[in-house]
Amino acid sequence: MTARLAAVLWDMDGTLLDSEKLWDIGVRELSVHLGGEMTDETRHALIGSAIPTSLQIIFQGLGLDPSPSRMAEAETWLNRRVTELMSGPIPWRPGARDALAAVRAAGLRTALVTNTQRTITELCLDTLGRAYFDVSVCGDEVAHGKPAPDPYLSAAELLGVAPERCVAIEDSPTGSASAAAAGCAVLVIPCEIPVPAQPRYTFRDSLIDLSVADLEAIRRAA
Ligand SMILES: [Mg+2]
């Protein structure tokens, strides 16, 4: 007899918000600022990554020396540009708003679990609504970001629930790997790039009409 679903752990960029498109503008402009156009291969490797990892991938792709001072300058530049982009209205992913409300109405515990840093996440929470989340965990608040399990382990601990009783909802290979490594069932709704099937993953095309009964079934199946 397994315990019931206790919590839903939401990824942010590409899952709840269509914000990967804003990140896309930021990282492509950063690449040009650093000296060259970004290849699609580099762009795809960035999806779901935290900024320190993203910068390493961008520098490597451009063949640049990742000296601490150049990396720090690039990080400041990217943070400033993405903050500008995220200060306007951010579009939702299809069905996300209703799915958040349905989970909330069912009385499940909820967390926002993102590789994005706290300052930018707070701008996104203005769009999302803070009342939908009991806790939030950001990329700069854990030792290792996704794909390491740390963000999801931290969220489950803050909620006081076992990861095995949680469903994580993700759009990227990086984020899905993090949630599965933490022991969560993973509902995968790919956004920008395909996600290869893995144990514990259940796939859907969108969040439209997602019910709590669907989430219970996903947890039982994992
Ligand atoms: Mg994502």
Side-chain angles (χ1 to χ4, degrees):
M1 186 72 189
T2 52
R4 289 173 66 83
L5 174 66
V8 178
L9 313 180
W10 299 92
D11 172 52
M12 184 173 76
D13 297 297
T15 296
L16 289 172
L17 297 177
D18 211 358
S19 41
E20 283 292 358
K21 289 176 178 62
L22 301 177
W23 278 105
D24 188 67
I25 295 169
V27 293
R28 286 186 188 278
E29 288 183 0
L30 172 65
S31 186
V32 170
H33 168 75
L34 291 171
E37 293 277 343
M38 178 174 285
T39 63
D40 285 346
E41 188 187 5
T42 297
R43 175 58 191 133
H44 289 168
L46 300 182
I47 290 171
S49 295
I51 281 192
T53 308
S54 294
L55 291 173
Q56 283 173 7
I57 294 168
I58 292 168
F59 272 63
Q60 200 170 30
L62 291 170
L64 297 173
D65 170 33
S67 69
S69 64
R70 289 189 80 171
M71 295 275 278
E73 190 272 337
E75 181 165 353
T76 302
W77 196 99
L78 183 60
N79 277 332
R80 183 188 54 73
R81 184 65 181 115
V82 173
T83 298
E84 276 173 14
L85 291 163
M86 300 275 186
S87 295
I90 307 169
W92 289 78
R93 291 282 291 146
R97 206 173 208 156
D98 288 344
L100 267 183
V103 167
R104 216 13 158 189
L108 292 165
R109 306 279 283 155
T110 55
L112 185 67
V113 186
T114 177
N115 255 357
T116 294
Q117 65 268 45
R118 173 60 66 182
T119 51
I120 293 173
T121 301
E122 288 295 328
L123 298 174
C124 296
L125 278 164
D126 290 341
T127 293
L128 289 167
R130 286 170 176 76
Y132 286 122
F133 307 100
D134 295 308
V135 300
S136 53
V137 176
C138 297
D140 53 349
E141 296 168 345
V142 290
H144 302 286
K146 305 174 189 178
D150 305 32
Y152 281 102
L153 290 174
S154 174
E157 188 178 345
L158 286 169
L159 292 174
V161 300
E164 292 74 20
R165 293 186 61 194
C166 301
V167 172
I169 307 184
E170 274 286 354
D171 70 298
S172 71
T174 300
S176 300
S178 168
C184 305
V186 193
L187 170 57
V188 186
I189 301 170
C191 179
E192 300 292 337
I193 52 172
V195 178
Q198 296 283 342
R200 313 189 74 82
Y201 292 9
T202 300
F203 289 82
R204 254 179 97 102
D205 290 337
S206 81
L207 288 168
I208 293 170
D209 293 334
L210 179 73
S211 69
V212 171
D214 295 333
L215 292 167
E216 289 275 9
I218 288 164
R219 197 200 68 83
R220 279 195 303 272

